[in-house]
Amino acid sequence: DAGVIQSPRHEVTEMGQEVTLRCKPISGHNSLFWYRQTMMRGLELLIYFNNNVPIDDSGMPEDRFSAKMPNASFSTLKIQPSEPRDSAVYFCASSFLRTQETQYFGPGTRLLVL
Amino acid sequence: GQQVMQIPQYQHVQEGEDFTTYCNSSTTLSNIQWYKQRPGGHPVFLIQLVKSGEVKKQKRLTFQFGEAKKNSSLHITATQTTDVGTYFCAGPGSGGSNYKLTFGKGTLLTVNP
């Protein structure tokens, strides 16, 4: 299996621009997580999907952030408009959620907003 | 909400020395997971501990889960340069939030060859 796939791996954009991050989870996994990692705040859960349905979006910072999962093999995280404080590494992770299953992380998207 | 604390934040050792990182949760955990993140990489699952007082070994790595299931430790014997990275512990939420892993801030290990 190829593991969790994320694109792009790096993104540099200017403040105010729209940013779309993409994720393909491991085939057969029914749970998908978006995380943000910064030095200051560590790993933060942004949103959790189960069977393509958003279950918990309490970690989404504000209305500028939105996430979708149109099918079991694809998810997007969108930031519109982007701000410099959004600069971070964004990870997508997937798991087959029975009970507290381990999570498999993608390589991440390193986002820099100028 | 649930908090997971890790100490130390950083640890620098000479190759061959031992290393230990400690994890403490504000709540009792059903299990605890450990992940390793290499510099520039992504978190990779190492192990899960479930039972009170459980001890598991992976080659030079020894993982322990406390009797009260609120703390855990990772010990590396005779560190090697390949052990460099950040080690995170993570605990699931309780009840309906058991999908949600709360990660500690991690311990960054550097090894001087």
Side-chain angles (χ1 to χ4, degrees), chain A residues 9 33 35 37 39-43 45 48 55-56 58 91 97-103 105-108 110, chain B residues 9-10 30-31 33 35 37 39-45 47-48 88 92-93 97-101 103-105:
Chain A
R9 295 291 303 275
F33 307 80
Y35 289 90
Q37 185 177 43
M39 287 295 293
M40 290 297 293
R41 301 174 68 92
L43 265 170
L45 177 65
Y48 158 61
I55 303 299
D56 182 351
S58 59
F91 289 107
L97 195 71
R98 290 185 181 147
T99 307
Q100 297 118 26
E101 286 290 333
T102 62
Q103 296 182 16
F105 284 76
R110 282 151 181 79
Chain B
Q9 193 174 0
Y10 307 98
S30 58
N31 71 79
Q33 300 176 24
Y35 291 76
Q37 184 176 18
H42 58 278
V44 174
F45 172 77
I47 206 161
Q48 180 184 68
F88 295 95
S97 298
N98 63 356
Y99 59 83
K100 183 182 288 190
L101 284 179
F103 283 83
K105 289 287 179 67

Side-chain angles (χ1 to χ4, degrees), chain A residues 39-75:
Chain A
M39 287 295 293
M40 290 297 293
R41 301 174 68 92
L43 265 170
E44 302 175 277
L45 177 65
L46 299 178
I47 188 167
Y48 158 61
F49 290 88
N50 183 243
N51 293 323
N52 313 337
V53 176
I55 303 299
D56 182 351
D57 65 354
S58 59
M60 295 287 263
E62 47 199 272
D63 292 345
R64 297 184 298 106
F65 285 69
S66 63
K68 294 182 179 179
M69 192 164 185
N71 57 63
S73 58
F74 184 65
S75 177

